[in-house]
Amino acid sequence: MRCLVTGCAGFIGSHLAEKLVQSGFEVMGIDSFTDYYDRRIKEANVQGLLKSGKFTLVREDLLNMDLDKVLERVEYIFHHAAQPGVIASWGEHFESYSQNNILATQRLLESARKISLKSFIFASSSSVYGNCELPMREDRLVSPISPYGVSKLACENLCYSYWKNFGVPIISLRYFTVYGSRQRPDMAFHKFIRAILKGKEITIYGDGNQTRDFTYIDDAVNSNILAIEKSCSGEIFNIGGGSYISVNGAIKLLEEIIEKRARIIYKEKRKGEMEATWADIGKAKKMLGYNPRFNLKEGLFKEIEWIKGIMDK
Ligand code: NAD
């Protein structure tokens, strides 16, 4: 069975591609190694994969490559390529979000509609919700409050249109803040852990009482496998970690695990950041059999160990 993982050199995509290879799939990965963060990190993310005879890396850009050609023989698409990051999505940077998220997704869908696929998984985000009623449920009205969230919602809606009109077997997974090894260097836990280990200051934007539902990488990856096993095209699922905690609470937990105090400075809240995220995962539990296996303490312990291992490299 042949899969395509877009964004295969990124944080989630590289873990997913590894899991698929281990599960016996033949995997083709596409990544353009964008410079949103250090490309050497992305190169390191694919090192293990490149040793496998079941993995092929295509270093191309979804925006201009011949997708019809690469999609021949593909049965499953896991579309994880994107321009991530909420704060960076304002101003002139939005061009990158509209290109790498909206336009790239539309190009991929155009090619996907010409072939017979078993599943097309789209990596969506809790950012589509905005400040809505908690816990967040898939049937609630979504009102993103950042350009990034708007771009991910546009992608979800495009996916829905291609499912409705052409039967592309879309499933959208709305990830809630994923963490663990290879977490992007712009993400909060990555920055916090490095700062605590090095005795440097942590900046919190706002009073730290904003809450987040954190999802361990293995659980996020597993949700993709569950999604292709079930036939639920056209559906959207929240993929959360099963609990939520304030940013201050999460830092306390980090201090406890690392056994070192954090030096925190508080700054004004930034535009686009949500007050709270909290996933109602009832639908994913019921329809996919999704059940997050890692609690925050276990998951953070693993991320800390990973960061210690790469810190001075
Ligand atoms: P990431 O930046 O580590 O990975 C994305 C990859 O896509 C990068 O390697 C980048 O080079 C590649 N890419 C971007 N544009 C491309 C293009 N035009 N052509 C080919 N490759 C391209 O990000 P991540 O954190 O692994 O996120 C993966 C997906 O999950 C994204 O779609 C993101 O929106 C979504 N998501 C992530 C989180 C999270 O907590 N990390 C939460 C919600 C949703």
Side-chain angles (χ1 to χ4, degrees):
M1 283 178 291
R2 203 167 148 91
C3 309
L4 168 66
V5 178
T6 72
C8 67
F11 162 40
I12 303 175
S14 62
H15 279 285
L16 172 61
E18 281 175 5
K19 175 78 182 184
L20 290 166
V21 164
Q22 283 158 17
S23 309
F25 289 92
E26 198 186 321
V27 179
M28 177 174 34
I30 297 178
D31 205 297
S32 59
F33 293 75
T34 63
D35 63 1
Y36 176 61
Y37 58 89
D38 193 339
R39 288 197 180 108
R40 286 171 301 181
I41 298 175
K42 299 182 183 185
E43 293 291 349
N45 288 347
V46 291
Q47 279 320 298
L49 280 164
L50 290 171
K51 292 185 190 124
S52 164
K54 285 187 168 290
F55 178 77
T56 316
L57 176 62
V58 179
R59 292 174 183 267
E60 286 207 58
D61 192 325
L62 290 173
L63 290 166
N64 49 38
M65 65 186 292
D66 184 350
L67 281 164
D68 288 352
K69 201 169 158 202
V70 287
L71 255 54
E72 277 169 16
R73 296 202 305 119
V74 166
E75 290 173 290
Y76 298 97
I77 296 179
F78 300 86
H79 179 34
H80 283 63
Q83 170 58 57
V86 167
I87 300 307
S89 65
W90 299 104
E92 64 188 30
H93 302 294
F94 187 67
E95 192 178 338
S96 173
Y97 290 78
S98 49
Q99 298 264 331
N100 293 311
N101 299 354
I102 305 172
L103 195 55
T105 301
Q106 185 268 349
R107 284 198 88 231
L108 187 59
L109 288 165
E110 270 301 318
S111 293
R113 80 179 170 97
K114 298 174 195 156
I115 55 169
S116 172
L117 274 177
K118 292 199 166 110
S119 293
F120 182 121
I121 309 292
F122 172 63
S124 188
S125 166
S126 57
S127 305
V128 301
Y129 283 108
N131 290 330
C132 84
E133 196 186 322
L134 299 172
M136 292 156 160
R137 248 186 23 216
E138 296 88 341
D139 57 1
R140 296 245 162 87
L141 182 72
V142 288
S143 318
I145 58 161
S146 69
Y148 166 70
V150 170
S151 74
K152 294 302 283 189
L153 182 57
C155 295
E156 253 190 28
N157 289 339
L158 277 167
C159 286
Y160 183 81
S161 310
Y162 279 80
W163 172 66
K164 266 285 176 208
N165 291 283
F166 305 107
V168 179
I170 299 293
I171 300 171
S172 290
L173 303 176
R174 288 181 181 161
Y175 295 140
F176 282 65
T177 320
V178 185
Y179 71 102
S181 66
R182 301 185 197 152
Q183 193 188 38
R184 297 193 327 259
D186 61 310
M187 294 185 74
F189 281 159
H190 189 137
K191 292 203 272 194
F192 292 170
I193 294 168
R194 270 182 190 267
I196 299 175
L197 289 171
K198 290 197 165 180
K200 291 192 172 160
E201 277 174 351
I202 286 176
T203 306
I204 293 184
Y205 297 92
D207 59 11
N209 290 323
Q210 60 270 43
T211 57
R212 289 289 176 272
D213 189 331
F214 294 102
T215 315
Y216 187 63
I217 182 68
D218 290 15
D219 289 323
V221 164
N222 192 34
S223 70
N224 285 264
I225 309 292
L226 293 169
I228 62 166
E229 284 169 0
K230 308 283 182 307
S231 71
C232 27
S233 304
E235 297 289 344
I236 295 173
F237 296 99
N238 283 343
I239 302 299
S243 62
Y244 70 100
I245 188 169
S246 71
V247 172
N248 286 332
I251 289 178
K252 274 210 180 79
L253 200 53
L254 286 174
E255 291 178 323
E256 207 180 294
I257 305 170
I258 300 175
E259 295 180 346
K260 202 167 161 193
R261 289 301 297 270
R263 294 168 54 207
I264 307 172
I265 49 169
Y266 290 91
K267 284 193 179 163
E268 199 182 325
K269 190 176 172 291
R270 296 180 298 181
K271 303 284 183 212
E273 274 182 341
M274 285 148 76
E275 274 306 311
T277 67
W278 175 18
D280 180 329
I281 53 171
K283 183 176 171 186
K285 272 188 175 168
K286 195 169 161 203
M287 291 180 69
L288 302 180
Y290 170 74
N291 236 324
R293 285 183 296 131
F294 291 85
N295 68 39
L296 189 57
K297 196 168 180 179
E298 287 170 300
L300 282 178
F301 183 81
K302 286 172 181 281
E303 179 161 351
I304 292 164
E305 289 304 300
W306 169 72
I307 291 187
K308 280 182 181 165
I310 58 153
M311 211 153 77
D312 295 316
K313 282 183 187 162

